[in-house]
Amino acid sequence: MAGSWPPEGLVGDSSAVRITLGMFGPEQYRCPASDVFKARGLRARERPAWKPEALESFTNGPFMAAADEIERTADEPPPSEPRRRRPRPLHDGVRQWTAHALRMYREAFPDDPGLLPVHKPWIYRHCGPEPDGSGAVEYRITAWGRYFESPDGRLRELRLPVNRLRERTDAERAVAAFVAAEGTPDPRVEEVRVVQFALSDGRTQRVFEGTRLEAVVAHRLHGAPAVRALLDGREYRPGSACASCAIAPACPTLRRAGGLLGVSDRSRPRRTWSSTTGRSHRSCPARGYLRGLRLPVDDKQERGAAAERGRAIHAFLAERHGRRPYTPCQAGVPEDWVPEGYQLTDEERRLGARLLRHHAEVCPLRIAGPEAEVGIEPKLAFDDTAADLVVLAEPDLLYRDLEGAWVWRETKTSGNDRACRDPLASYPQLALAVRIIGTGALQDGQAGGRVELELLQPGGVDLRTLDPFDSRTRAAAEAALREQVTGWHSEDLFQAVPGPDCAGCEVARWCSARQPRQTTTEASA
């Protein structure tokens, strides 16, 4: 918790608490404090006007709208939505994704006369006391999905769309089942079924199936405690959610860093930016855009042999560096060093062990001390108020040296011994690191610190140090950032630029402009 609770500068009507199933989803995309304020209808008193994107930014919204039209009977009038905003154009990739998602949905759920679509969402309502006893409040719980019921109303089925199937927590299962059972009460309901379906491949998975009473009992055991825990949450978790958070201007933990990226223009839509964003956009604007929407990627491209080895090494080091008390890595690497969940060939496994032995020579914990302040892949977020951008960064390691200065360590792996002549050009995230350390964004303006690049190669380790306070280094970093940010910041349509990179693009399947892959014969002709 930071400062007073709730923070100063919030307004809104908290007479109703609105809870959605999504608030119990994966933690990496959520901020507990933001969920609480959103549920209670609170927002910052002073916040900039909404600046919409030119393109539709709700990835699965077009799919839901199209499914509504398909499932609406010919004699059924469309829902009355006098305030519905005019739909924005769809990016080509979203159009391709939506068409694919509809095909998968219809294959997963063929027409079933035993189930009829329900076009009004089920909403559970309950009037109860405030947790502190200060008064009464109406609680509303909803679940975003597709609603169906049997003609006699005895069975309800809630379908939850996801890009890919994932394991649901007990709280998610209970809350979803409870909404299906008790939302918009109907005394006829006897059976409840909750199914999640993957828009990427059409697979389905039962989340809950049971009687109405069993759904209520599950909620008492797992759902209600999760709701209480959510509303009691006071943890701020700055990250990607800050871009759309209504209390961001008043958030006490989101670091303000005006001018961090070197762009002064608040007229553009509020977005998030990271070095990955800049790298993908430079490769192809459509590629970066579709990755930002979190569309499913091609695992064969995303998890190639070298990339998988690099991720495995990072996971191994993160686990080793996280042990307390902090102990420097040793050259002895076990033969079965590969962490669970990573698939490496014998050759890549042996190469990885060799690289890890080189890391032991320059392990930063050698100079950090056993009780030093160490952040292992910390998720950092900064509000660049000059550009109205939320800047995201995730150093491999962030630690304080013996003099108390911050050190930002990036570790990279390579299967060859080619020299790295220009680190800022080869690894764009270093430019951002230089700016963050050099501007004192980590220390409220205090000076001091450095950036390190650890390049692990078969022949040894190359450790480079970048001084964020050296004028030439700062100028080079600022120029590199401007090159990464400026074009993307002014972009509206994110059109594809077909070319040789299409062959290795992990989101090419959603791009109608992609360049067809050449066969071996064509490439050698």
Coordinates of all heavy atoms in Angstrom, one line a residue, residues 291 297-318 337-339 341-342 344 377 411 413 506:
R291 N 0.5 -8.1 -32.4 CA 1.1 -8.6 -31.2 C 0.5 -7.9 -30.0 O 0.3 -8.4 -28.9 CB 2.6 -8.5 -31.2 CG 3.3 -9.5 -32.1 CD 4.7 -9.8 -31.6 NE 4.7 -10.3 -30.2 CZ 5.2 -11.5 -29.9 NH1 5.8 -12.2 -30.8 NH2 5.2 -11.9 -28.6
V297 N -0.2 -16.5 -31.5 CA 1.0 -16.5 -32.4 C 1.3 -17.9 -32.9 O 0.9 -18.9 -32.3 CB 2.2 -15.9 -31.6 CG1 2.0 -14.5 -31.2 CG2 2.6 -16.8 -30.4
D298 N 2.2 -18.0 -33.9 CA 2.6 -19.3 -34.4 C 3.8 -19.8 -33.5 O 4.8 -19.2 -33.5 CB 3.1 -19.1 -35.9 CG 3.5 -20.4 -36.5 OD1 3.7 -21.4 -35.8 OD2 3.7 -20.4 -37.8
D299 N 3.5 -20.9 -32.8 CA 4.5 -21.3 -31.9 C 5.8 -21.8 -32.6 O 6.9 -21.7 -32.0 CB 4.0 -22.5 -31.1 CG 3.0 -22.1 -30.0 OD1 3.1 -20.9 -29.6 OD2 2.2 -22.9 -29.5
K300 N 5.7 -22.2 -33.8 CA 6.9 -22.6 -34.5 C 7.9 -21.5 -34.8 O 9.1 -21.6 -34.8 CB 6.6 -23.3 -35.9 CG 5.8 -24.6 -35.7 CD 5.5 -25.2 -37.1 CE 4.8 -26.6 -36.9 NZ 4.5 -27.2 -38.2
Q301 N 7.3 -20.3 -34.9 CA 8.1 -19.1 -35.1 C 8.5 -18.5 -33.8 O 9.6 -18.0 -33.6 CB 7.3 -18.0 -35.9 CG 6.9 -18.5 -37.3 CD 8.1 -18.8 -38.2 OE1 9.2 -18.3 -38.0 NE2 7.8 -19.6 -39.3
E302 N 7.5 -18.5 -32.9 CA 7.8 -17.9 -31.6 C 8.7 -18.6 -30.7 O 9.5 -18.1 -29.9 CB 6.4 -17.7 -30.8 CG 6.5 -17.0 -29.5 CD 6.6 -15.5 -29.6 OE1 6.7 -15.0 -30.8 OE2 6.5 -14.8 -28.6
R303 N 8.7 -20.0 -30.9 CA 9.6 -20.8 -30.0 C 10.5 -21.6 -30.8 O 10.7 -22.9 -30.7 CB 8.7 -21.7 -29.2 CG 7.6 -21.0 -28.4 CD 7.0 -21.8 -27.3 NE 7.9 -22.1 -26.2 CZ 7.5 -22.4 -25.0 NH1 6.3 -22.3 -24.7 NH2 8.4 -22.6 -24.1
G304 N 11.3 -20.9 -31.7 CA 12.4 -21.6 -32.5 C 13.4 -22.1 -31.5 O 13.5 -21.7 -30.3
A305 N 14.4 -22.9 -32.0 CA 15.4 -23.5 -31.2 C 16.2 -22.5 -30.4 O 16.4 -22.6 -29.2 CB 16.3 -24.4 -32.0
A306 N 16.7 -21.4 -31.1 CA 17.5 -20.4 -30.4 C 16.7 -19.7 -29.4 O 17.2 -19.4 -28.3 CB 18.2 -19.5 -31.4
A307 N 15.5 -19.3 -29.7 CA 14.7 -18.5 -28.8 C 14.3 -19.3 -27.6 O 14.3 -18.8 -26.5 CB 13.4 -18.0 -29.5
E308 N 14.0 -20.6 -27.8 CA 13.6 -21.5 -26.7 C 14.8 -21.7 -25.7 O 14.7 -21.7 -24.5 CB 13.2 -22.8 -27.2 CG 12.6 -23.8 -26.2 CD 11.2 -23.4 -25.7 OE1 10.7 -22.3 -26.1 OE2 10.6 -24.2 -25.0
R309 N 16.0 -21.8 -26.3 CA 17.2 -21.9 -25.5 C 17.4 -20.7 -24.7 O 17.7 -20.7 -23.5 CB 18.4 -22.2 -26.4 CG 19.7 -22.4 -25.6 CD 20.8 -21.5 -26.1 NE 21.0 -21.7 -27.5 CZ 21.3 -20.7 -28.4 NH1 21.4 -19.5 -28.0 NH2 21.4 -20.9 -29.7
G310 N 17.2 -19.5 -25.3 CA 17.4 -18.2 -24.6 C 16.4 -18.1 -23.4 O 16.8 -17.7 -22.3
R311 N 15.2 -18.5 -23.7 CA 14.2 -18.4 -22.6 C 14.5 -19.4 -21.5 O 14.3 -19.1 -20.3 CB 12.8 -18.7 -23.2 CG 12.2 -17.6 -24.1 CD 10.8 -17.9 -24.4 NE 10.3 -16.9 -25.4 CZ 10.2 -17.2 -26.7 NH1 10.5 -18.4 -27.2 NH2 9.8 -16.3 -27.6
A312 N 14.9 -20.6 -21.8 CA 15.3 -21.5 -20.8 C 16.4 -21.0 -19.9 O 16.4 -21.2 -18.7 CB 15.6 -22.9 -21.4
I313 N 17.4 -20.4 -20.5 CA 18.6 -19.9 -19.8 C 18.1 -18.8 -18.8 O 18.5 -18.7 -17.7 CB 19.6 -19.4 -20.7 CG1 20.4 -20.6 -21.4 CG2 20.6 -18.5 -20.0 CD1 21.4 -20.2 -22.4
H314 N 17.2 -17.9 -19.3 CA 16.7 -16.8 -18.5 C 15.9 -17.4 -17.3 O 16.0 -16.9 -16.2 CB 15.8 -15.9 -19.3 CG 16.6 -14.8 -20.1 ND1 17.2 -15.1 -21.2 CD2 16.9 -13.5 -19.8 CE1 17.9 -14.0 -21.7 NE2 17.7 -13.0 -20.8
A315 N 15.1 -18.4 -17.6 CA 14.3 -19.0 -16.5 C 15.2 -19.7 -15.4 O 15.0 -19.5 -14.2 CB 13.3 -20.0 -17.1
F316 N 16.3 -20.3 -15.9 CA 17.2 -21.0 -15.0 C 17.9 -19.9 -14.1 O 18.0 -20.0 -12.9 CB 18.3 -21.7 -15.8 CG 19.3 -22.4 -15.0 CD1 19.1 -23.7 -14.5 CD2 20.5 -21.8 -14.7 CE1 20.1 -24.3 -13.7 CE2 21.5 -22.4 -13.9 CZ 21.3 -23.6 -13.4
L317 N 18.4 -18.8 -14.7 CA 19.1 -17.8 -14.0 C 18.1 -17.1 -13.0 O 18.5 -16.7 -11.9 CB 19.7 -16.8 -15.0 CG 20.9 -17.3 -15.8 CD1 21.3 -16.2 -16.7 CD2 22.0 -17.7 -14.9
A318 N 16.9 -16.8 -13.5 CA 15.9 -16.2 -12.6 C 15.7 -17.0 -11.3 O 15.6 -16.5 -10.2 CB 14.6 -16.0 -13.3
W337 N 19.8 -29.3 -16.6 CA 19.5 -27.9 -16.1 C 18.3 -27.3 -16.7 O 17.8 -26.3 -16.1 CB 20.7 -27.0 -16.5 CG 20.8 -26.8 -17.9 CD1 21.6 -27.6 -18.8 CD2 20.2 -25.8 -18.7 NE1 21.4 -27.1 -20.1 CE2 20.6 -26.0 -20.1 CE3 19.4 -24.7 -18.4 CZ2 20.2 -25.1 -21.1 CZ3 19.0 -23.9 -19.4 CH2 19.4 -24.1 -20.8
V338 N 17.7 -27.8 -17.7 CA 16.6 -27.2 -18.4 C 15.3 -27.1 -17.5 O 14.9 -28.2 -17.1 CB 16.3 -27.9 -19.7 CG1 15.1 -27.2 -20.5 CG2 17.5 -28.0 -20.6
P339 N 14.8 -25.9 -17.3 CA 13.6 -25.8 -16.4 C 12.4 -26.5 -17.0 O 12.3 -26.7 -18.2 CB 13.4 -24.3 -16.3 CG 14.7 -23.7 -16.6 CD 15.3 -24.6 -17.6
G341 N 8.9 -27.2 -18.7 CA 8.1 -26.5 -19.6 C 8.9 -26.0 -20.8 O 8.3 -25.5 -21.8
Y342 N 10.2 -26.3 -20.9 CA 11.0 -25.9 -22.0 C 11.5 -27.2 -22.7 O 11.9 -28.1 -22.1 CB 12.2 -25.0 -21.6 CG 11.8 -23.7 -21.0 CD1 11.5 -23.6 -19.7 CD2 11.6 -22.6 -21.8 CE1 11.1 -22.4 -19.1 CE2 11.2 -21.4 -21.3 CZ 11.0 -21.3 -19.9 OH 10.6 -20.1 -19.4
L344 N 14.2 -28.5 -25.3 CA 15.5 -28.3 -26.0 C 16.1 -29.6 -26.6 O 15.9 -30.6 -26.0 CB 16.5 -27.7 -25.1 CG 16.6 -26.1 -25.0 CD1 15.3 -25.6 -24.5 CD2 17.8 -25.7 -24.1
E377 N 13.8 -9.8 -13.0 CA 12.8 -9.5 -14.0 C 11.6 -8.6 -13.5 O 10.5 -9.0 -13.6 CB 12.3 -10.8 -14.7 CG 13.4 -11.6 -15.4 CD 12.9 -12.9 -16.0 OE1 11.7 -13.2 -15.8 OE2 13.6 -13.5 -16.7
T411 N 20.9 -9.7 -20.0 CA 21.6 -10.9 -20.4 C 21.1 -11.4 -21.7 O 19.9 -11.7 -21.9 CB 21.5 -12.0 -19.3 OG1 22.0 -11.5 -18.1 CG2 22.3 -13.2 -19.7
T413 N 21.9 -14.2 -25.1 CA 22.7 -15.4 -25.5 C 22.8 -15.5 -27.0 O 22.0 -14.9 -27.8 CB 21.9 -16.7 -25.0 OG1 20.7 -16.7 -25.7 CG2 21.7 -16.6 -23.5
E506 N 5.4 -14.3 -36.6 CA 4.6 -15.2 -35.7 C 3.1 -14.9 -35.8 O 2.3 -15.7 -35.3 CB 5.1 -15.0 -34.3 CG 4.9 -13.7 -33.6 CD 5.9 -12.6 -34.1 OE1 6.8 -13.0 -34.9 OE2 5.8 -11.5 -33.6

